[in-house]
Amino acid sequence: MTALKRKFVKGNEAVAMAAIEAGVQCYFGYPITPQSDIPEYLSRELPKTGGTFIQVESEIGAINMVLGASACGVRAMTSSSGPGISLKQEGISYMAGSELPGVIVDIMRSGPGLGGIDASQADYHQATKGGGHGGYRIIVLAPNSGQEMYDLTMLAFDLSDQYRMPAMVLADSVLGQMKESIVPNPRPKVDLPAKDWAVRGTGGGQQNVVKSLYLGDGEMEKFHWKMHARYQELADKESRWETFATDDAELIVTAFGCTSRIARTAIEMARAEGIKVGLMRPITLFPFPKKAYADLSSRCKKWLTIELSTGQMVDDVRLAVARDAEVEFYGRPPGAGSLPTPEELFTQIKKFC
């Protein structure tokens, strides 16, 4: 078997490449820094595969076009950053309420408001807690490399179809703009359910209705409990994480995305000086890998959460670890020059050991 040729690409380009390999048929979006490489790539390459690319008049229009395409049973996606993701929240809520799959890519930038284009992880709560109205959740995957930008984008499409809910790839401007060597793996063969719920037009056969309106007695409550059970199934079957050097660790650092890579370098520096420290990296932010945290914290009682924010994921860490575990926090709010160095994180590790 011939080895696949490696490619040197931006993380944003890896997302776009993976979407095409995953069989995306429709992309609807609006340009905003630092994610504009995604629509730029897809505007050139997606039509070559027979797909549809539309630069819509607004982010609101884009997410509602994703809703419409998904309701017809095709794979559809959008991408944005910062205020653009905020504008999409109503549409994402409607998709969740209609049990529609679809992929949203959020290349996080600083905020609130217009903010800036610097790296941030302050969209964590918006992504993982249901950023719109109505008490829903969506699948959230957090890559930390160009390769994972590719692999997790393909996974997002499959999980979204499998569980009939939107899926988000949550990255940041570091990962989106950084160039790395990746292997463009072929789409894995996955047994996915038929989309027999999709709207098919005026032809013969079953008439389907896609909606998020439930007015009958008890209908809405029944819907919420159905989705709650689906979220639990997702947590049981699809939680993903990575550990490094945790077997003998007396302190475990936990971080996601680009921050986890900086943290790993700091951990290697600490190990070189004989400090027993390890790394726990969540890959699924929803479902959050609670059981993995609980299991690790049954032995190691000291934890340090590191984020590019004033603290959001740390809330989930504190809820997930054992009650007698101690969780410290170190964060850098988004802004110019706010990306921590390995030496800076090494100092924090020594402080908490």
Side-chain angles (χ1 to χ4, degrees):
M1 183 176 178
T2 305
L4 292 169
K5 186 177 180 181
R6 302 188 70 90
K7 293 184 179 293
F8 189 60
V9 297
K10 284 186 177 183
N12 284 339
E13 293 169 328
V15 166
M17 292 165 60
I20 291 175
E21 179 63 26
V24 69
Q25 294 169 273
C26 297
Y27 175 93
F28 310 106
Y30 189 84
I32 181 173
T33 305
Q35 66 82 49
S36 293
D37 310 278
I38 298 173
E40 179 184 359
Y41 186 99
L42 289 171
S43 68
R44 182 179 69 246
E45 300 298 331
L46 185 56
K48 296 177 184 178
T49 69
T52 298
F53 173 93
I54 297 179
Q55 179 175 312
V56 190
E57 79 285 350
S58 71
E59 289 88 351
I60 297 171
I63 192 61
N64 282 287
M65 284 187 172
V66 172
L67 185 155
S70 178
C72 293
V74 304
R75 282 193 158 180
M77 72 174 294
T78 188
S79 61
S80 195
S81 301
I85 293 293
S86 295
L87 287 169
K88 296 179 190 292
Q89 291 304 322
E90 183 185 37
I92 296 172
S93 176
Y94 272 69
M95 290 179 67
S98 303
E99 299 181 72
L100 288 175
V103 172
I104 304 105
V105 180
D106 180 0
I107 307 298
M108 292 180 284
R109 58 184 265 174
S110 58
L114 191 58
I117 63 173
D118 305 291
S120 170
Q121 293 181 328
D123 289 0
Y124 179 93
H125 277 162
Q126 182 189 52
T128 62
K129 310 303 180 186
H133 63 287
Y136 66 93
R137 299 294 184 94
I138 65 173
I139 298 161
V140 183
L141 304 174
N144 82 338
S145 66
Q147 186 65 56
E148 285 195 352
M149 293 284 272
Y150 184 92
D151 294 339
L152 294 184
T153 297
M154 283 206 286
L155 178 64
F157 280 102
D158 286 344
L159 293 180
S160 184
D161 281 349
Q162 179 71 43
Y163 292 93
R164 283 188 63 184
M165 66 178 70
M168 176 175 284
V169 178
L170 188 68
D172 57 67
S173 61
V174 171
L175 293 170
Q177 294 298 317
M178 181 172 59
K179 277 195 168 186
E180 289 190 294
S181 175
I182 72 163
V183 177
N185 296 307
R187 177 182 173 183
K189 293 181 179 180
V190 180
D191 186 18
L192 295 171
K195 296 184 177 181
D196 51 10
W197 45 262
V199 176
R200 300 298 184 188
T202 58
Q206 174 182 322
Q207 182 184 33
N208 291 327
V209 176
V210 173
K211 65 171 187 173
S212 60
L213 183 67
Y214 300 94
L215 298 179
D217 290 346
E219 275 191 323
M220 182 57 80
E221 182 179 5
K222 182 179 179 181
F223 171 79
H224 273 285
W225 284 119
K226 180 178 74 171
M227 295 309 296
H228 179 78
R230 193 174 300 173
Y231 301 149
Q232 186 58 56
E233 180 186 5
L234 188 71
D236 292 341
K237 295 180 178 178
E238 308 296 348
S239 294
R240 288 169 166 79
W241 66 93
E242 179 188 52
T243 60
F244 170 71
T246 58
D247 289 347
D248 64 343
E250 297 173 357
L251 170 71
I252 294 179
V253 174
T254 183
F256 73 97
C258 72
T259 312
S260 68
R261 294 178 62 164
I262 305 170
R264 177 160 174 160
T265 301
I267 287 166
E268 290 170 347
M269 294 167 64
R271 283 276 172 178
E273 292 198 8
I275 301 172
K276 294 180 178 180
V277 58
L279 175 69
M280 170 65 167
R281 175 174 74 97
I283 297 172
T284 53
L285 301 184
F286 187 84
F288 195 72
K290 297 177 184 177
K291 187 177 185 303
Y293 277 85
D295 290 345
L296 270 178
S297 61
S298 66
R299 184 191 59 77
C300 182
K301 301 300 181 182
K302 296 183 71 174
W303 290 70
L304 172 60
T305 305
I306 299 174
E307 302 178 57
L308 288 181
S309 72
T310 53
Q312 295 187 17
M313 186 183 77
V314 65
D315 295 342
D316 285 334
V317 174
R318 286 174 173 147
L319 287 171
V321 297
R323 287 176 178 243
D324 59 346
E326 177 187 2
V327 179
E328 300 288 350
F329 172 76
Y330 182 75
R332 293 289 301 271
S338 66
L339 203 65
T341 64
E343 291 76 14
E344 181 181 341
L345 298 189
F346 178 39
T347 299
Q348 295 301 316
I349 287 170
K350 289 192 291 185
K351 177 181 176 182
F352 291 118
C353 278

